[in-house]
Amino acid sequence: RVWVTYGTEVFDVTDFVELHPGGPDKILLAAGGALEPFWALYAVHSQPHVLELLRDYKVGELSPEDAAKPTGDTEDPFAGDPPRHPALRVNSLKPFNAEPPPELLTQSFLTPNELFFTRNHLPVPSVEPGSYRLRVEGPGGRGLSLSLAELRQRFPKHEVTATLQCAGNRRSEMSRVRPVKGLAWDIGAISTARWGGARLRDVLLAAGLGDKTGEDGEWHVCFEGLDVDASGTPYGASIPLKRALSADAEVLLAYEMNGQELPRDHGFPVRVLVPGVVGARSVKWLRSVVVSPSESPSHWQQNDYKGFCPSVDWDSVDFSSAPAIQELPVQSAITEPRPGAAVPAGEITVKGYAWSGGGREVVRVDVSLDGGRSWRVAELGPRPARGRGWAWALWELRAPVAAGTRLDIVCKAVDSSYNVQPDSVAPIWNLRGVLSNAWHRVPVTVTR
Ligand code: MTE
Ligand code: MO
């Protein structure tokens, strides 16, 4: 049976699951745990009649031990990590890596902060906002040191609605072809937020670092986080200086996410946000920004987050032979229905997301119900009017389906440069399982 808790009370909601106005799949996400974190996200629940309705299903009270909070372990480097939303699908607890369930991912254009996918390589640092300083440095001893208040006050706040995607999104589909090294992300290592902060460009210009564009080869901006490994080495990455200085590229030193202060998991108090570029370059818990003639020496810039030929294996790989991933290729996936689902005959609703790197807008999403033999054009949801194609398009397709049939649902997106997704995984397989953007396939059966 299906139970949930609210406060210290326990409810058997088995008979209510099918009656849930938001759909049975959504209420089941809270099964076996507390309702509060879900009700906090979906405000329709904060009405007296909802609590009253729940009363009818009460079966008991939590025991005092279960009602008490679990205690933290002080020896554990991850003991200071923040609390997380129970709906997140955890791929690794320490360090914390988790993605929202697909059916919640496309519930709203902006991903609620609590559900935004989290990709941490190390423990989450605890930062005292009052003593935080951001170091900005470049050649010739030029630079700045900024407090959080100075970053907020000296530079105009700029806002960008942008999708962030991890290079490893949809890796689990790649490892089904052949095993790869990396976290087994499903389709949820991608999320969208409205980010607010200072433009990196404005900060670099204020530091006197705006003059190194091009004349002596490509320069870079290297970022370091406050999160460090056991040897004291921080997370780091870089982007080309040209992108950092471009007003069009809208690179941010973000301190706000969806109108709230940046949550700890997403880089409190300041992170880099590089629209249209692989998530790995958007360094969280930012401690330094250094303008340099070379890319970041960090492991994650040099020996990770690069693409290779399918025949390259761990014995033959030469990481120095491939460029670091920056702009990502065109991507799309189906969030509803789920693979293996049984859907009722009549009309099916297929939902998903589509996005491309570099600010290239998604111009079309094609959906097939028969494995790619015939196609229909999905309807794209509303997107922000202003700005470039930094954010995803949510899409939907409704189509009649006959009882007793099997559907092989497929989606593929087209971006404004007419880039398309590859039809299968094998030719783009790579040992690290990155850049997994083949047509997404979801088999379902139609019941009678
Ligand atoms: N920044 C720091 N300091 N440490 C990290 O582990 N992970 C990177 C990037 N920035 C990381 C980081 C990777 S690989 C991704 S995909 C994004 O952060 C994820 O951002 P999110 O956790 O806010 O979704
Ligand atoms: Mo990532």
Side-chain angles (χ1 to χ4, degrees), residues 215-245:
E215 71 275 22
D216 39 5
E218 187 172 67
W219 278 56
H220 303 269
V221 184
C222 303
F223 309 115
E224 278 182 353
L226 288 158
D227 49 337
V228 293
D229 68 14
S231 76
T233 310
Y235 183 86
S238 61
I239 59 169
L241 177 61
K242 204 186 265 173
R243 180 178 291 276
L245 287 175

Side-chain angles (χ1 to χ4, degrees), residues 136 142-146 154-155 199-210 245:
V136 184
R142 284 171 292 177
L144 274 178
S145 167
L146 296 167
R154 276 187 61 180
F155 306 94
R199 287 178 202 254
L200 175 57
R201 169 189 157 81
D202 293 346
V203 173
L204 292 177
L205 292 180
L209 296 168
L245 287 175

Side-chain angles (χ1 to χ4, degrees), residues 91-109:
N91 295 328
S92 140
L93 201 54
K94 300 173 181 187
F96 189 74
N97 288 282
E99 61 190 296
E103 50 279 54
L104 293 185
L105 187 57
T106 47
Q107 278 282 95
S108 53
F109 183 80

Side-chain angles (χ1 to χ4, degrees), residues 97 117 119 121 165-169 185 189 235 278-281 305:
N97 288 282
F117 87 94
R119 202 306 175 223
H121 292 82
Q165 183 182 220
C166 182
N169 191 31
W185 295 108
Y235 183 86
V278 67
R281 314 299 166 217
Y305 297 114

Side-chain angles (χ1 to χ4, degrees), residues 116-122 164-167 195 224-227 235 257 265-267 271 278-285 305:
F116 202 98
F117 87 94
T118 300
R119 202 306 175 223
N120 294 343
H121 292 82
L122 299 161
L164 199 64
Q165 183 182 220
C166 182
W195 308 93
E224 278 182 353
L226 288 158
D227 49 337
Y235 183 86
M257 182 176 179
D265 262 331
H266 302 289
R271 79 174 300 165
V278 67
R281 314 299 166 217
S282 288
V283 174
K284 305 192 274 189
W285 313 291
Y305 297 114

Side-chain angles (χ1 to χ4, degrees), residues 5-11 36 58 60-63 67:
T5 67
Y6 187 79
T8 57
E9 298 177 301
V10 183
F11 305 88
E36 284 92 335
K58 181 165 175 180
E61 296 274 339
L62 284 177
S63 71

Side-chain angles (χ1 to χ4, degrees), residues 260-312:
Q260 291 163 302
E261 111 184 332
L262 212 55
R264 285 192 61 212
D265 262 331
H266 302 289
F268 178 82
V270 179
R271 79 174 300 165
V272 185
L273 196 283
V274 194
V277 162
V278 67
R281 314 299 166 217
S282 288
V283 174
K284 305 192 274 189
W285 313 291
L286 186 64
R287 78 169 184 201
S288 68
V289 172
V290 179
V291 173
S292 155
S294 33
E295 281 185 277
S296 165
S298 155
H299 166 82
W300 293 279
Q301 189 77 19
Q302 301 292 335
N303 296 324
D304 202 355
Y305 297 114
K306 295 184 173 187
F308 294 96
C309 172
S311 64
V312 171

